[in-house]
Every structure is written in C-alpha cells, then in structure tokens.
Amino acid sequence: MNFDPNKYRYFSRRSVVYGTRGMVATSQPLAAQAGLDMLKKGGNAVDAAIAAAAALVVVEPTGCGLGSDSFALVWKDGKLQGLNSSGFSPAKFSSRNFESENFPRGWSCATVPGVVAGWAELARKMGRLHFSDTLAPAIDLASRGFAVTPVIAELWQKAFDEFKNFKSPEFSHWLRTFCPSGRAPKAGEIFRSQALARTLRRIAEAGGEDFYKGDLAEKIITFSNKTNGYFTAEDFASFKPEWVSPISTNYRGYDIWEMPPNGQGICVLIALNILRNFEFESDSRDEFSSLHKQIEAVKIAFSVAKRYVADPKFADIPIDDLLSEDYARELAAKIDPEHAQNFDDAREKFGGGTVYLVTADSGGSMVSYIQSNFMGFGSGIVIPETGISLNNRGACFSRDPESPNYIDARKRPYNTIIPAFVTKDNKSLAALGVMGGFMQPQGHVQVLTNLLDFGMNPQEALDSTRWKWNNNLQVSLEPNFPESQAEKLSRAGHEITREDSSLDFGRGQIIIKTEYNSIAGATEPRADGSVAAW
C-alpha cells in the first residue's frame, strides 16, 4: 500500500494518559519506551530521563546529538534542583566567527558539548542504575537500527536539502553518517549507525570521561585542527556541568519554575508576571483580548531578555528586579489593549532543533529535561567514525558589542532551551516544556495559560492552536488557527502570516500529579511521540 504518513485528513484526538508507578513522555515512542524500561528495572525518574535522552540522540538526530547542550529541572527528595550542562565557546572564539562563509553552520558557532557530562552528572548524583544500564537502549537502537518516524523523516529531508550543497571539508562526514544511501531516510525505513553505537558504548564504559579527556575528545580535537576549527584539548578538559538554583514566579497561585540565565526561561516568567495584571475568562482562550495580551506580553518579555540574558559569569543580571511586581505592573502598562506595538526587534531569526522529555516515578521524583543541537543537526559537523554531531549554539551570541551576550571566549551564549516545572504549596505538581528555538518561551506561556487560566486538561493544552511572534509586528499562525480571530489580530496591527505547516510551532510534553495519587501525561500532536505509562 502507498500512503503519506504525514497526511491526516480527519480529526483525531489523543486522550490524557494515566499511570501510577511511573511515566515517560517524549517526542519519539522508542525513546519513551527506553525510559520506561529503566523504571521497570528499578530505576528512578532520573535514570529514565537519561535513557530516553540517550535514545533520542539515536532516533531523533534532527534535534539533538552527542554534541548537544542540556538543561534539567529535577524534583527529588522534596527539592527542586537545576542542572545547566550547556557548553561554552572555545578559547579561540572571537567576533570574526560571525563573518564565516557558512555561518550559522560550521565551526563558526560550535560550542563545547555539554550533554554527555550532563548525563553522567545526573547518574552520579541522583540515579539508581549503573550508567551503562541507562545507555543500553540507545546502544541497541543505534546498532540494530530503528524505523524512522514521519515527522523526523520530514525534518531529515529538510536537512539533506541544505547540507547536500555544503562542500567544505568540515561537512564531509554529515552525508556519510546520516544519509549513507545518498538521501534522507524515508518514514518507516530502517536506519542504523554502528559508529554511533561504538561511541555510546565507549561513553557508557568510561562514565562519560572519555568524551572530554580521552580518545573521543582527541578525535574531536584532531578533526577540528584538520578542518580549521577552534577546539582545543583544554576547552574539553575544563568543562563541567553546574548545579544552579531555579528561578520562579507565582502565577494564579502556582509557582512556575525555570532555569536561570544563560537560559531564556526568565522570558517566560516576565511574560506571566505581565499577564498576572489581567483577568481572563475560562472560555476566552481563542478570543482577541486574550490572544492579543499574550502576544504583547511575550514581545515585551523578549525585549527585556535581549537586554539582560547572558552568561552570568560575564554579566550582572538583576533577576529579583526583573521579576518584581512593580516591574511587572510597569511593563503591563505598556500594553495597548486594542493595538499591536513594536517594542523591539528582540530575537535572532534562526529556527531551532531540540528534544524535550518528562519523566516521573512512583517515589515522587520528576524530571523536566531538554537537550539540543540548536538548529536541525546543529553545525553540520560530524566527527569521523563516531556519529558525534556538533551543535551550533554559538549562533545565539549577539553581534552587538554593547550586549552582555556579545561573543567572547569561554563564554556560554544566550541559550534557547528551557525546561519548566510547576509546584503548589511547596509540593511538586507538573513537569512540562515546549521545544523549538525562540518558540519555547511562547510555547510555555501558551501551555501554562491553557492549564491555569483556561482550565484545559494537559492533552488539550498541547493540542490547542498556537501562534508564534517572529519579530517586530510579525506573528505566524498555525494552519487551523480560527480565522475570525486571525482577522481581529490583523485589524489590530499584527502582521499575520498563516503557515502551511505546524513544524515550527514547538513540540511539548507534560506530566501532572493528580489528586488521586496518580500521574497524568500528555504528548505533542505535532510530533511522533507518545506517553509510556506504568
């Protein structure tokens, strides 16, 4: 039979999934199952998150790789902690990187990968299982192969259409690694990578150390030197993840938690603080007044984030002031209830390729986790015979010398990836996130208001049609966005574009604890994912 796996002409509904002993929600079913396998082996939510994240490197290489960054919010033993495992720029980085012919691809924007160190740190401090056990499903998937899923196949094809034209030596191994048949794999086609399996096996055996101080690090540095890259052995040997205190605001009686800068999570909190100054009817989600205020609040929050978000080692970021009630009221007063305004061209115009997942176990632990190569397949650089694809996170540095996020050596750039968490009365309630570059804060705001203002269940909150502010007055709408409200937004001065696809509107996951001592999960309809429950 011939059929199109990305065409669905009839309405379809996903139900909320419930479980009692554990749950994993990811954007790819095999990764969700890998995480659930760890829970059934006696592991906890942290073990499940590591297993799912490692599996996603294999089955969703369009969004992440062993050259990724990662952030995690972990609720364990009654406490929420944050792990920042985003990498810094090489010591040789400078503003000349932005002048590269292939920017934002290539060595001009590859930063030190943090994801492997992040997995190892989570396993060491919070996991129950041996690190090799949690990576075993990923190794098996890479070695035996897996059937490519529809959305990932579409993104893979988009990457092939771009990278097939790159002729510089640093890109020579992307096609060999990810398109060995000379084309992108089709949905349902089996893809395997023995090179990636060998690398994952080595990472498992060495507890991640080999990636930063051993043979794997040496292979990365050798290829960098051979193809005019910037990495040095010291760049890798000196990298370590950092445990950080999450930041929060209270919205409608719930504490919303995000990672502190260099992540852009503060953008979500500022937008929610602005919206806290307005009341919304429970049935008004798709009405002009609600949509307009959310869009304007997001625009203002991005303009603030652009001025302040950077590596805190290089900048003084007044987080308490930015999240104060007085500042929120001041920002809310800037919103004209009837007209769109141009607050600032506050974001770069790059898309993002990222994976987000959530896990929960029967002991009450929950993990909100995200990892990313930034743009799809990141820099396009793949280290020979390893399957390691490097990120292009350095593209998020600012070109403005006056910006705290201006490019510098050994500096972490403004990072778009942001996991989120919700607590109430000092108790864990929900882990959630929406991936997608600069769509992420916008996705968080839309999903959180869906849950807390408009009373949606978690699946409904993800299913709801989305908008995306691009820059200036430009706002994109999903194909099925209500036409009547699109017209009202346009009349108010929003420059509306209706997109043909939903691929650029983020992909999220949610797990919520219920009043019945069970857990409820939801997964993104714009992705191939699933909720695996026990």
Side-chain angles (χ1 to χ4, degrees), residues 300-457:
I300 294 171
F302 266 115
S303 70
V304 175
K306 181 182 180 181
R307 294 198 300 272
Y308 291 102
V309 173
D311 187 338
K313 290 184 174 66
F314 289 74
D316 182 17
I317 306 169
I319 291 175
D320 290 343
D321 292 340
L322 297 177
L323 296 180
S324 70
E325 291 187 15
D326 288 344
Y327 189 54
R329 283 192 292 269
E330 176 186 330
L331 296 178
K334 297 177 181 290
I335 294 179
D336 183 324
E338 302 295 334
H339 299 97
Q341 298 180 81
N342 185 10
F343 294 105
D344 194 1
D345 184 2
R347 49 148 290 189
E348 301 292 349
K349 301 169 181 63
F350 302 131
T354 301
V355 296
Y356 173 79
L357 64 93
V358 284
T359 64
D361 63 34
S362 59
S365 297
M366 300 177 78
V367 179
S368 180
Y369 178 93
I370 195 162
Q371 67 188 24
S372 173
N373 265 359
F374 187 40
M375 298 170 67
F377 284 104
S379 64
I381 297 172
V382 177
I383 307 304
E385 306 303 323
T386 67
I388 298 171
S389 59
L390 297 177
N391 70 75
N392 64 334
R393 182 58 63 182
C396 289
F397 279 118
S398 173
R399 294 165 175 77
D400 180 4
E402 301 301 317
S403 169
N405 185 45
Y406 186 61
I407 190 169
D408 204 346
R410 292 288 177 86
K411 183 177 184 179
R412 285 180 162 124
Y414 178 119
N415 205 305
T416 59
I417 61 175
I418 50 172
F421 208 89
V422 182
T423 62
K424 187 173 176 59
D425 301 325
N426 297 316
K427 296 179 180 179
S428 62
L429 179 61
L432 60 91
V434 178
M435 55 66 66
F438 291 91
M439 177 65 198
Q440 292 184 59
Q442 308 185 61
H444 283 210
V445 168
Q446 291 176 69
V447 168
L448 285 164
T449 54
N450 285 347
L451 292 168
L452 305 180
D453 284 297
F454 307 119
M456 296 186 188
N457 69 53

Side-chain angles (χ1 to χ4, degrees), residues 290-301:
S290 300
L291 294 168
H292 173 70
K293 290 184 176 68
Q294 288 181 62
I295 293 169
E296 297 298 282
V298 161
K299 288 158 62 175
I300 294 171

